[in-house]
Amino acid sequence: MDKVDLNNTQSKKALLEDESIKTWMIVDEFIKLSGFSVEQISTLIKQGDLNSKEEDGLVYIDVSSGTSALIKGVESTLVNLDVSGTSLDPIFVEKTISTILSLHEKVISAKDETIAAVKSENEFLKEGLISMQDIYDDDKKTLELLREELKKANEEVEFMKRKYKLMWGKISNSTK
């Protein structure tokens, strides 16, 4: 493997690891939690503020990027309200904090599930390796036993060849 292949492999591995860490939520659920409209979400996706993917006709939003976009949206709203001199509605602030906390809890929950799945997979792989090592050791013993048997069989064949040479030699000498 040359240096280019190694770099490509490491890049692909980093992308896969990054992809497996993301927590995906169906866009409808994200709309309910965030309070954004479909138009706002599509704009955020086009701007690159929200990571999204489509599978089986459903659109998914990365929750961590959604949290960032939500915070940016709230921040710009707060700045606009502050500039215009309008006071903040406490319900708006409470709802925003609640939404951010809810998204954060989903991210943490998904991360915990991912960690548990990775630990389970690692345990499975460890057991598989141990099992393969046991099978390898058994096969190694069997091969050694077969080599010994083959060696004994070859010694017997050589003994029989010498015996028959001696016998045929005596017979051929006696007929002359």
Side-chain angles (χ1 to χ4, degrees):
M1 178 182 282
D2 62 1
K3 196 173 190 176
V4 173
D5 288 339
L6 181 61
N7 288 339
N8 286 340
T9 303
Q10 289 172 343
S11 298
K12 288 177 185 175
K13 182 179 177 188
L15 284 174
L16 287 174
E17 287 173 352
D18 184 47
E19 187 67 25
S20 68
I21 293 175
K22 291 185 177 180
T23 306
W24 297 99
M25 178 186 293
I26 296 176
V27 73
D28 295 335
E29 187 178 347
F30 184 76
I31 289 170
K32 289 176 190 172
L33 282 173
S34 67
F36 287 148
S37 68
V38 176
E39 294 80 21
Q40 289 172 317
I41 290 175
S42 62
T43 302
L44 289 171
I45 290 172
K46 288 176 187 168
Q47 292 173 348
D49 291 335
L50 278 179
N51 293 333
S52 66
K53 70 176 182 179
E54 188 172 337
E55 286 183 3
D56 301 327
L58 296 173
V59 177
Y60 294 89
I61 304 293
D62 175 34
V63 176
S64 55
S65 71
T67 305
S68 300
L70 183 63
I71 291 171
K72 286 178 188 175
V74 169
E75 187 177 51
S76 67
T77 304
L78 291 175
V79 168
N80 290 339
L81 289 174
D82 191 38
V83 169
S84 67
T86 309
S87 64
L88 293 175
D89 182 16
I91 295 174
F92 168 76
V93 174
E94 185 179 326
K95 221 175 171 183
T96 302
I97 292 172
S98 169
T99 302
I100 291 171
L101 288 175
S102 175
L103 287 172
H104 179 70
E105 286 174 12
K106 286 192 180 278
V107 169
I108 296 299
S109 172
K111 302 288 185 214
D112 290 343
E113 288 174 13
T114 302
I115 289 170
V118 168
K119 283 182 180 179
S120 172
E121 183 179 338
N122 285 346
E123 187 63 32
F124 174 74
L125 292 173
K126 179 181 173 184
E127 289 172 8
L129 284 173
I130 289 170
S131 175
M132 287 178 66
Q133 183 64 41
D134 291 344
I135 291 170
Y136 172 76
D137 290 343
D138 289 345
D139 287 350
K140 197 173 176 182
K141 288 176 187 174
T142 303
L143 282 173
E144 190 58 39
L145 182 66
L146 290 173
R147 281 190 187 114
E148 288 177 20
E149 287 180 14
L150 183 61
K151 184 178 176 183
K152 287 179 185 177
N154 281 338
E155 288 172 358
E156 270 187 55
V157 168
E158 287 299 318
F159 174 75
M160 295 300 270
K161 282 182 183 178
R162 285 192 305 263
K163 182 177 172 182
Y164 284 114
K165 275 186 182 179
L166 287 172
M167 276 178 57
W168 285 110
K170 285 183 180 180
I171 293 174
S172 63
N173 287 340
S174 63
T175 54
K176 287 185 185 178

